[in-house]
Amino acid sequence: MAEPRVPGGRESELELACGELVDTHDLHLGMREFACDCGNTHAVVLDPHPLARFVPEFLTEVLHATIETNDDYDEFTTVHLMGVVMEEFPEKVVAADTSEDGSVGFSLAWVSDFDSRRLHEVVVELLVELMEHAISHAEDDDVMAEFEEQMLQFDVDAFVEQYRDERDFDGRSDTAI
């Protein structure tokens, strides 16, 4: 986790990849992105956000059942997913550990240089790579060939567009699919 820069002694300020500062107290569970003083829109992900923010529930269940974790979490979570994103894009994502701050409703926060739609695309692309890697360990050429064929037909942009429309992230009736 990136340690927040503390200009002026405020431990709750996080220096973004763009160089601007954001106070973690200004982040909240309903936030998916914000317009930054740098002129760009940055995606926000918090540890309580479910994996279903990015993919349907049936896929989150598959991820929970198939990916083993060796940490304090019982199953694959948004924390692990954002770790994968940070590993792939270390210069584009910063994180704040707010676990000692009882005045926010989360323990970890990630802010990316990507807007929420682009982050969604990145997450789906990385999950596809993760699934492809897992299938390669099955040592079944037919299964691998079938997966590769399906992935040739899979359009990340179209999936993200449809999923975001169906989820209605900004509406009060947003529910997992």
Side-chain angles (χ1 to χ4, degrees):
M1 298 281 153
E3 289 297 317
R5 187 177 93 181
V6 188
R10 291 179 54 190
E11 292 181 19
S12 62
E13 286 189 326
L14 176 65
E15 184 175 6
L16 305 179
C18 67
E20 295 291 333
L21 299 174
V22 66
D23 190 322
T24 56
H25 293 107
D26 293 335
L27 306 177
H28 56 82
L29 292 175
M31 182 180 277
R32 299 292 183 256
E33 62 184 15
F34 66 91
C36 182
D37 290 342
C38 75
N40 292 325
T41 300
H42 300 298
V44 174
V45 179
L46 306 174
D47 61 315
H49 289 160
L51 290 172
R53 170 180 171 178
F54 301 106
V55 293
E57 283 292 324
F58 80 87
L59 187 53
T60 68
E61 291 170 11
V62 170
L63 294 169
H64 291 162
T66 57
I67 298 176
E68 292 182 23
T69 59
N70 340 349
D71 53 26
D72 294 339
Y73 298 92
D74 294 335
E75 57 193 11
F76 188 80
T77 67
T78 300
V79 173
H80 300 100
L81 179 61
M82 290 308 297
V84 172
V85 173
M86 285 187 74
E87 186 175 310
E88 193 69 26
F89 298 97
E91 303 299 320
K92 299 277 187 186
V93 182
V94 295
D97 181 344
T98 60
S99 59
E100 299 295 319
D101 187 345
S103 63
V104 296
F106 50 88
S107 296
L108 296 168
W110 298 268
V111 179
S112 78
D113 252 8
F114 309 118
D115 65 15
S116 64
R117 177 173 171 78
R118 178 63 188 134
L119 177 63
H120 197 159
E121 293 166 350
V122 165
V123 163
V124 171
E125 290 165 358
L126 292 172
L127 285 173
V128 167
E129 286 179 23
L130 187 64
M131 291 185 298
E132 183 176 27
H133 177 75
I135 288 175
S136 72
H137 286 282
E139 297 179 6
D140 184 330
D141 292 338
D142 292 337
V143 170
M144 187 63 183
E146 181 180 340
F147 180 81
E148 287 176 355
E149 179 64 32
Q150 290 175 358
M151 288 304 99
L152 288 174
Q153 298 171 22
F154 182 67
D155 183 335
V156 171
D157 292 335
F159 168 82
V160 169
E161 184 69 30
Q162 180 180 356
Y163 193 73
R164 293 173 74 82
D165 285 347
E166 290 179 22
R167 282 294 309 261
D168 185 23
F169 288 113
D170 295 324
R172 291 183 180 260
S173 62
D174 176 41
T175 57
I177 298 173

